[in-house]
Amino acid sequence: MFQIMVVEDDNNTRRLMATVLRQNGYEPVCARDGVEALEMMDSHHVDLIVLDIMMPRMDGYEFTRTLRESGSEIPILMVTAREAPQDKHKGFLIGTDDYMVKPVDEEEMLLRIAALLRRSRIAADRKLTIGSTELNFTSLSVIVSGETEALPKKEFLLLFKLLSYPGRIFTRRQLMDEIWDMDSESDERTVDVHINRLRDKFRDSNDFEIVTVRGLGYKAVLKQ
């Protein structure tokens, strides 16, 4: 069970978020501000943080900066009443992974949490080997029989995702939500463009191919 830390100084909002998370299969860990959250993280495993910005003692910006300067890569979803572009820019610059404006749509929050958790699991794996093909997440590169090719980030993430679950069908919407920002203006045709580029680059692969499942999406099929 994933443990989600909710850092929020408003008691009612904190309790409501915790209830929603628990009802959807997560284990909430609640803190009233950044100081308490840092103290609790010494004794609690946390997979993701839902974070308010305006809080006493240590606000969300300072908390995020402290975590990132310590080397922590825990996904952070900022949730705040501040919707000015400069507030969002500041949040992303100091290291938040996503941003929502209050009042929060519960279903959207859950979708964003799920997408952030999937991305963090992909990043944690770092390497994937399929036959003579090795994908290196750190360098966004693919090594085939000793030859290395660096890929653009979105192409690499698409390939890594499909090869991580060979035979499993992913819809364009699933791939968009996971690999592109949920606020991206790109449409689902962008997935088709990137898939076609990957097919061109790996058409001669002896290890895999990317198959279109008509009306559904895409899957990777292993050849060995």
Side-chain angles (χ1 to χ4, degrees):
M1 182 180 294
F2 289 110
Q3 298 194 63
I4 311 296
M5 173 168 277
V6 178
V7 190
E8 165 67 63
D9 64 318
D10 182 85
N11 291 335
N12 291 332
T13 301
R14 188 174 63 251
R15 292 191 190 107
L16 176 60
M17 285 186 173
T19 298
V20 170
L21 290 170
R22 192 175 290 110
Q23 289 173 343
N24 285 273
Y26 298 110
E27 180 63 36
V29 179
C30 296
R32 290 168 292 186
D33 57 39
V35 173
E36 185 175 58
L38 289 175
E39 292 172 350
M40 294 182 68
M41 290 178 71
D42 288 336
S43 57
H44 289 78
H45 171 76
V46 175
D47 294 292
L48 181 144
I49 299 168
V50 179
L51 176 69
D52 188 28
I53 290 181
M54 302 302 294
M55 297 180 293
R57 297 201 294 173
M58 177 185 286
D59 66 18
Y61 292 132
E62 185 180 354
F63 174 80
T64 300
R65 185 181 294 110
T66 300
L67 272 189
R68 295 303 184 233
E69 288 178 351
S70 73
S72 173
E73 297 181 356
I74 295 175
I76 297 175
L77 170 60
M78 279 189 172
V79 180
T80 177
R82 303 176 67 167
E83 58 182 331
Q86 58 266 32
D87 294 322
K88 292 186 179 181
H89 293 165
K90 182 177 180 180
F92 284 119
L93 285 172
I94 62 175
T96 191
D97 297 280
D98 205 351
Y99 195 107
M100 291 187 71
V101 177
K102 295 178 180 178
V104 170
D105 179 277
E106 294 173 4
E107 183 176 355
E108 181 183 355
M109 181 184 74
L110 292 168
L111 287 171
R112 289 178 181 267
I113 287 172
L116 288 172
L117 288 170
R118 287 195 300 269
R119 291 174 198 164
S120 68
R121 290 205 301 276
I122 288 176
D125 289 339
R126 296 299 177 186
K127 286 187 179 181
L128 179 66
T129 301
I130 304 292
S132 62
T133 302
E134 179 182 292
L135 282 71
N136 188 311
F137 199 101
T138 302
S139 60
L140 301 180
S141 63
V142 180
I143 303 170
V144 182
S145 301
E147 297 293 325
T148 302
E149 179 174 1
L151 298 182
K153 185 175 182 179
K154 295 291 192 296
E155 288 182 26
F156 180 88
L157 292 176
L158 265 177
L159 185 61
F160 198 104
K161 182 64 177 179
L162 291 171
L163 289 178
S164 294
Y165 301 92
R168 177 174 167 182
I169 301 169
F170 290 93
T171 66
R172 292 170 178 83
R173 186 71 261 166
Q174 285 176 311
L175 295 170
M176 282 292 297
D177 286 349
E178 179 164 340
I179 295 170
W180 278 261
D181 188 282
M182 291 185 72
D183 291 328
S184 171
E185 295 181 358
S186 300
D187 59 30
E188 293 180 14
R189 287 172 295 181
T190 300
V191 177
D192 299 335
V193 171
H194 284 71
I195 289 289
N196 287 333
R197 290 174 182 166
L198 288 170
R199 283 174 169 159
D200 287 340
K201 290 175 180 177
F202 299 102
R203 66 164 66 91
D204 297 325
S205 172
N206 294 318
D207 299 316
F208 67 89
E209 63 178 322
I210 299 173
V211 175
T212 301
V213 182
R214 190 176 298 277
L216 293 176
Y218 297 103
K219 66 178 180 179
V221 175
L222 305 188
K223 295 182 178 180
Q224 297 178 349

